[in-house]
Amino acid sequence: MPMPWRRKRHGTPLDGKPLPKALFGLAWRLSAGDQVWLCLLSISVALLDTAPIEVQRRMINHAIKESGMRSIIMLALTYAGLVLAQGLTKLLSNIYRSWVSEHGVRVLRSYINDGVDPAPGNETDASTREGTQISMIVAESEPIGAFVGESLSEPLLQAGIMVSVVSYLVYLQPVIALVLLGVYGPQVVFVPLIQRAINRRAQARIATLREASAGVLSENGTAGSTDKQEGRFERVFELNMGVYKLKYSMNFLMNLCHQLGIAVILGVGGWFVVIGKTEVGTVVAFISGLHTVKDPWDDLATWFQTMMVTRARYDLMVKTVEGRISGSGAVAPED
């Protein structure tokens, strides 16, 4: 299975075929072989992300026990080598993922541009259909195609890091590891709830922008056209502000859970050190591990947000191409 930069392209996976019904079906059709490579790279990054935590723990314990500079230097060199290997693997994965994403954007734009009627059979004028097609090519194809590159590898990478780090922490000290459940348990509840509210606003925003695109072509110069467009822009502004408020409120709650987790680890871990049930290096490893888990958890939540919004966009695109939605975003009546 050749890497992408060594593989020649002949046509596109969508030539002469309808769009897949599901977003992940699109991702698989556009990049099935590439997803295998990306998943392998993601697994490698996840495994390499855990090893430096163990090296940190050993360095702290060796320093406290005065084991000698030779062993500390060797551990420091090992740590540097692991970080370098993990960084280079992640760099390759990111570049490859970006290539897959941009290829997906290019294929989608070509597909829509090559004579696709966004609303065949609907009672909409040519200007409205043209405005919808322009909106899909310019604005809507990019986030959908970009998601193709991260559809499988991103959640596998972030979930893999979390599973490997949490498993390691449970092995070190099961009692303190229970703190992680208290940190991330509530987020499993409030993140999906807030995201659903964001999705509703994202779909309304897409429909409003389609109306604005069509209005530029069909309403320009007509009576009241300026007021109509200003009303649409105001609507988009309100929807965007609603998304920002929800998004940043969710970030605040996630960060608060993380900081409370650190406080509990320091308290419980410090008590365990005093009574001789654990080592200082273990407490340091837990704090480092919690920081290591925070980034992939945030990234996983971001991926989930992106997936939900992109799926809503893609559903609208498929329905529009199939003629079940008019240029303004209204659902066409079923037969």
Side-chain angles (χ1 to χ4, degrees):
M1 187 185 303
M3 296 291 274
W5 44 82
R6 300 182 63 86
R7 183 164 66 246
K8 295 182 179 180
R9 296 286 178 178
H10 302 285
T12 69
L14 294 179
D15 285 346
K17 302 175 183 177
L19 287 175
K21 299 290 185 182
L23 176 61
F24 284 94
L26 175 74
W28 189 252
R29 182 180 295 182
L30 294 183
S31 57
D34 298 313
Q35 295 296 340
V36 175
W37 281 109
L38 286 172
C39 288
L40 290 174
L41 287 171
S42 296
I43 292 171
S44 300
V45 174
L47 294 176
L48 287 169
D49 225 37
T50 306
I53 303 175
E54 170 64 13
V55 176
Q56 290 177 20
R57 185 184 72 84
R58 294 191 180 191
M59 288 177 66
I60 296 295
N61 288 336
H62 280 223
I64 292 174
K65 295 175 181 178
E66 298 181 356
S67 299
M69 281 302 299
R70 180 180 177 83
S71 61
I72 294 176
I73 291 174
M74 290 301 298
L75 286 169
L77 291 175
T78 302
Y79 181 86
L82 288 169
V83 170
L84 178 62
Q86 191 263 0
L88 290 175
T89 306
K90 193 169 185 178
L91 173 63
L92 176 61
S93 176
N94 287 337
I95 293 174
Y96 191 2
R97 186 184 302 159
S98 298
W99 182 91
V100 174
S101 295
E102 287 303 314
H103 175 66
V105 174
R106 180 179 58 187
V107 170
L108 265 182
R109 282 176 171 158
S110 298
Y111 179 83
I112 296 169
N113 184 66
D114 290 343
V116 172
D117 183 355
N122 288 338
E123 296 299 326
T124 54
D125 58 35
S127 296
T128 300
R129 293 198 300 271
E130 185 178 349
T132 301
Q133 189 170 16
I134 291 172
S135 177
M136 288 195 294
I137 291 175
V138 175
E140 297 175 33
S141 295
E142 185 154 355
I144 294 172
F147 181 77
V148 170
E150 61 183 42
S151 58
L152 295 179
S153 60
E154 181 69 8
L156 178 64
L157 170 62
Q158 308 308 340
I161 292 174
M162 292 183 64
V163 169
S164 60
V165 171
V166 171
S167 299
Y168 167 73
L169 295 180
V170 169
Y171 167 76
L172 278 184
Q173 181 52 259
V175 176
I176 303 179
L178 291 176
V179 173
L180 294 176
L181 295 178
V183 171
Y184 294 106
Q187 298 185 42
V188 175
V189 177
F190 69 71
V191 168
L193 291 176
I194 296 176
Q195 186 56 46
R196 289 192 189 98
I198 292 175
N199 292 346
R200 290 193 293 270
R201 288 160 177 79
Q203 286 186 307
R205 177 181 179 275
I206 294 170
T208 306
L209 286 175
R210 285 186 177 184
E211 291 178 4
S213 298
V216 171
L217 298 172
S218 62
E219 300 172 359
N220 190 25
T222 61
S225 61
T226 300
D227 291 338
K228 289 181 181 178
Q229 288 291 66
E230 287 297 328
R232 290 165 183 147
F233 298 154
E234 180 66 23
R235 175 63 173 156
V236 171
F237 170 79
E238 292 173 354
L239 290 168
N240 283 341
M241 288 306 302
V243 168
Y244 289 138
K245 290 175 183 177
L246 290 168
K247 175 182 176 181
Y248 293 129
S249 296
M250 183 167 61
N251 290 343
F252 163 73
L253 292 173
M254 293 172 67
N255 288 329
L256 179 62
C257 289
H258 174 73
Q259 297 302 328
L260 290 176
I262 292 178
V264 174
I265 286 177
L266 288 173
V268 176
W271 177 53
F272 274 25
V273 170
V274 170
I275 64 177
K277 285 192 173 183
T278 194
E279 300 172 311
V280 174
T282 300
V283 178
V284 174
F286 264 87
I287 295 175
S288 178
L290 191 60
H291 281 295
T292 302
V293 169
K294 180 181 183 299
D295 286 340
W297 175 256
D298 290 346
D299 290 341
L300 196 60
T302 300
W303 175 88
F304 178 75
Q305 297 170 31
T306 303
M307 184 270 292
M308 295 294 287
V309 173
T310 305
R311 188 167 65 181
R313 286 179 173 140
Y314 184 67
D315 288 344
L316 284 175
M317 178 178 287
V318 171
K319 291 175 182 177
T320 302
V321 171
E322 292 178 347
R324 289 188 283 133
I325 287 186
S326 67
S328 63
V331 179
E334 298 288 347
D335 294 332

